[in-house]
């Protein structure tokens, strides 16, 4: 059985990954089973460079704040700001401190100006996108930035009497931002303002603002105005998504956590579908967000299940969405040692390569009637692959040992 698996394992690269798929997908999703390991981000960077140079990919989207990510995109496309500045304010979850993320941004900017002093044509420039909502595990952002930016975009383009409200009305209803970002609201719904009268009015106004933006869609676009419109759509998606998220933070029903994680992934999915409109893109996030199977976790001791962003996007894009999961052998500095040989990771660990990629359907065939047992992680920050969902992936990237940095 191991011999059969060895015969279908290949060195990790764009050519090998594309060889697993019937055609170049519009969205290639590369998952990871843990966060914060630069070795995995280095692999992502290497694959993205190859996809750019060999397959014509132009966008990378990562699991980071969609609004702060605009600063990174401005830097790589137009040189706005400095590398230090965008690493500090262009990433959420503390990922701006990652050396691998810094190298990604540096390389993208260098690629965009490499052709000549004027840079590459807009159609050939690399683009960066964060596709997560402005959400942290402890709190959600105020909808102020997204709502006011959307209102400002429309106010500059339509008669004032078409707007559903003034900027002053939005400001009054929003109040202070700390009302929205109180971390106590994550565990105490009574601390959330998400079901207040003001929040209800804001949800109606956000809906009207998005509808007004949609009504302007047939307007002819230049390249610059198309970017402005895309950003306004992002502001609209984010405003409505945040208000919906805050509404569920204030909920006291048993469905609260299921709805919260579901709303987050819906926001992710809508952002990814917008990214897909630009052309072929590489997406990088946790396996749980990108897999086609239903996602699950335990929160507060209770199981929570929801459809993740990958499942939602796959339902819309069909064969134009491809998902390659990453599996790991060891993360010894986190207490994750050699996997048991009867697990999926254990079978892959027996291969001689330090890194390889293997087609999931072919692996399932090679395993025959053998069903690997699920691996149990001793560390909460690492999620092993579920062998029952092997057929839901197009491929698996396996990294034998993740070194400490």
């Amino acid at each position: 059985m191991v011999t059969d698996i060895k015969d279908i394992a290949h060195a990790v690269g764009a050519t090998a990954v594309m060889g697993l798929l019937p055609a170049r997908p519009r969205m290639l999703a590369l998952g990871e089973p843990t966060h914060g390991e630069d070795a995995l981000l280095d692999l992502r960077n290497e694959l993205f460079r190859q996809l750019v140079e060999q397959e014509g990919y132009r966008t990378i989207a990562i699991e980071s704040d969609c609004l702060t990510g605009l600063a990174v995109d401005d830097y790589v496309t137009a040189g706005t700001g400095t590398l230090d500045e965008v690493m500090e304010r262009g990433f959420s979850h503390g990922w701006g401190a990652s050396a691998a993320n810094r190298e990604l941004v540096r390389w993208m900017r260098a690629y965009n100006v490499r052709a000549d002093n004027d840079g590459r044509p807009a159609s050939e420039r690399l683009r960066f996108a964060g596709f997560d909502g402005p959400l942290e595990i402890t709190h959600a952002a105020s909808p102020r930035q997204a709502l006011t930016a959307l209102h400002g975009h429309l106010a500059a383009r339509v008669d004032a009497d078409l707007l559903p409200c003034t900027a002053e009305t939005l400001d009054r209803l929003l109040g202070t931002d700390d009302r929205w970002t109180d971390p106590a609201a994550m565990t105490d719904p009574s601390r959330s303002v998400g079901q207040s009268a003001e929040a209800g009015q804001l949800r109606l106004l956000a809906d009207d603002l998005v509808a007004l933006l949609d009504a302007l869609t047939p307007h002819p676009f230049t390249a610059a105005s198309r970017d402005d419109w895309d950003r306004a759509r992002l502001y609209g998606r984010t405003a409505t998504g945040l208000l919906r998220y805050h509404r569920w933070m204030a909920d006291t029903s048993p469905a609260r956590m299921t709805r919260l994680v579901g709303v987050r992934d819906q926001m992710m999915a809508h952002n990814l579908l917008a990214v897909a409109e630009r052309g072929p893109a590489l997406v990088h996030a946790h396996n749980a967000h990108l897999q086609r199977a239903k996602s699950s976790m335990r929160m507060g001791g209770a199981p929570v299940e929801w459809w993740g962003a990958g499942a939602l996007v796959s339902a819309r894009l069909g064969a134009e969405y491809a998902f390659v999961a990453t599996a790991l052998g060891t993360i010894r500095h986190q207490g994750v040692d050699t996997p048991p040989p009867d697990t999926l990771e254990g079978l892959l660990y027996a291969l001689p390569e330090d890194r390889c990629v293997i087609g999931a359907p072919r692996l399932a065939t090679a395993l025959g009637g053998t069903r690997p047992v699920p691996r149990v992680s001793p560390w909460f920050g690492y999620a092993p692959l579920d062998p029952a969902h092997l057929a839901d992936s197009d491929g698996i990237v396996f990294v034998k040992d993740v070194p400490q940095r």
Side-chain angles (χ1 to χ4, degrees), residues 120-150:
R120 296 180 187 270
S123 62
E124 297 179 12
R125 289 178 200 155
L126 304 184
R127 303 292 300 269
F128 177 93
F131 72 93
D132 201 353
L135 308 169
E136 295 286 352
I137 192 65
T138 57
H139 68 277
S142 163
R144 177 183 300 279
Q145 179 185 357
L147 268 177
T148 56
L150 174 60

Side-chain angles (χ1 to χ4, degrees), residues 277-344:
E277 293 176 7
R278 296 180 184 170
L282 175 68
V283 179
H284 189 252
H286 199 282
N287 287 330
H289 291 303
L290 299 179
Q291 65 191 30
R292 292 188 180 93
K294 210 166 192 178
S295 300
S296 63
M297 64 188 301
R298 297 190 72 84
M299 301 188 74
V304 177
E305 291 189 343
W306 73 100
W307 290 110
L312 298 171
V313 172
S314 180
R316 293 282 295 275
L317 295 185
E320 291 195 294
Y321 180 82
F323 170 55
V324 176
T326 296
L328 305 177
T330 72
I331 322 173
R332 298 192 193 278
H333 53 281
Q334 298 290 3
V336 180
D337 291 319
T338 304
D342 56 351
T343 64
L344 184 59

Side-chain angles (χ1 to χ4, degrees), residues 190-212:
S190 69
R191 298 289 294 270
S192 172
V193 297
Q195 292 189 21
S196 64
E198 293 86 354
Q201 289 179 266
L202 287 169
R203 290 186 73 186
L204 292 174
L205 291 173
D207 182 71
D208 283 343
L209 289 168
V210 170
L212 180 56

Side-chain angles (χ1 to χ4, degrees), residues 354-372:
D354 291 331
R355 306 187 321 186
C356 66
V357 61
I358 189 167
R362 296 191 68 184
L363 177 57
T365 299
L367 293 175
T370 303
R371 173 67 65 86

Side-chain angles (χ1 to χ4, degrees), residues 69-270:
L70 295 174
V72 184
D73 190 53
D74 285 341
Y75 175 76
V76 300
T77 58
T80 304
T82 68
L83 180 57
D84 286 343
E85 289 170 348
V86 299
M87 296 312 298
E88 181 179 352
R89 60 187 179 88
F91 292 83
S92 60
H93 304 86
W95 291 333
S98 161
N101 281 336
R102 186 183 184 89
E103 174 57 22
L104 171 68
V105 176
R106 186 209 62 77
W107 179 81
M108 291 176 70
R109 177 60 189 155
Y111 181 93
N112 282 342
V113 299
R114 192 175 299 157
D116 52 50
N117 289 335
D118 294 328
R120 296 180 187 270
S123 62
E124 297 179 12
R125 289 178 200 155
L126 304 184
R127 303 292 300 269
F128 177 93
F131 72 93
D132 201 353
L135 308 169
E136 295 286 352
I137 192 65
T138 57
H139 68 277
S142 163
R144 177 183 300 279
Q145 179 185 357
L147 268 177
T148 56
L150 174 60
H151 187 277
H153 174 91
L154 291 167
R157 290 164 176 79
V158 302
D159 293 336
D161 57 0
L162 291 177
L163 295 169
C165 67
T166 64
E168 291 74 20
T169 297
L170 285 182
D171 187 64
R172 175 178 58 80
L173 292 172
L174 285 163
T176 60
D177 285 349
D178 57 9
R179 298 172 63 235
W180 299 90
T181 59
D182 181 1
M186 181 52 72
T187 54
D188 182 359
S190 69
R191 298 289 294 270
S192 172
V193 297
Q195 292 189 21
S196 64
E198 293 86 354
Q201 289 179 266
L202 287 169
R203 290 186 73 186
L204 292 174
L205 291 173
D207 182 71
D208 283 343
L209 289 168
V210 170
L212 180 56
L213 180 66
D214 287 344
L216 301 179
T217 301
H219 191 278
F221 293 108
T222 64
S225 65
R226 173 61 192 237
D227 274 351
D228 287 342
W229 184 68
D230 282 344
R231 290 199 175 194
R233 292 168 65 209
L234 171 61
Y235 293 136
R237 292 192 303 272
T238 305
T240 55
L242 277 175
L243 287 165
R244 190 176 300 119
Y245 192 90
H246 280 288
R247 177 258 184 268
W248 283 103
M249 285 188 74
D251 189 69
T252 58
S253 77
R256 180 177 186 262
M257 292 311 302
T258 299
R259 292 305 302 266
L260 284 174
V261 293
V263 168
R264 180 190 179 194
D265 270 82
Q266 286 174 330
M267 293 176 70
M268 288 182 169
H270 293 155

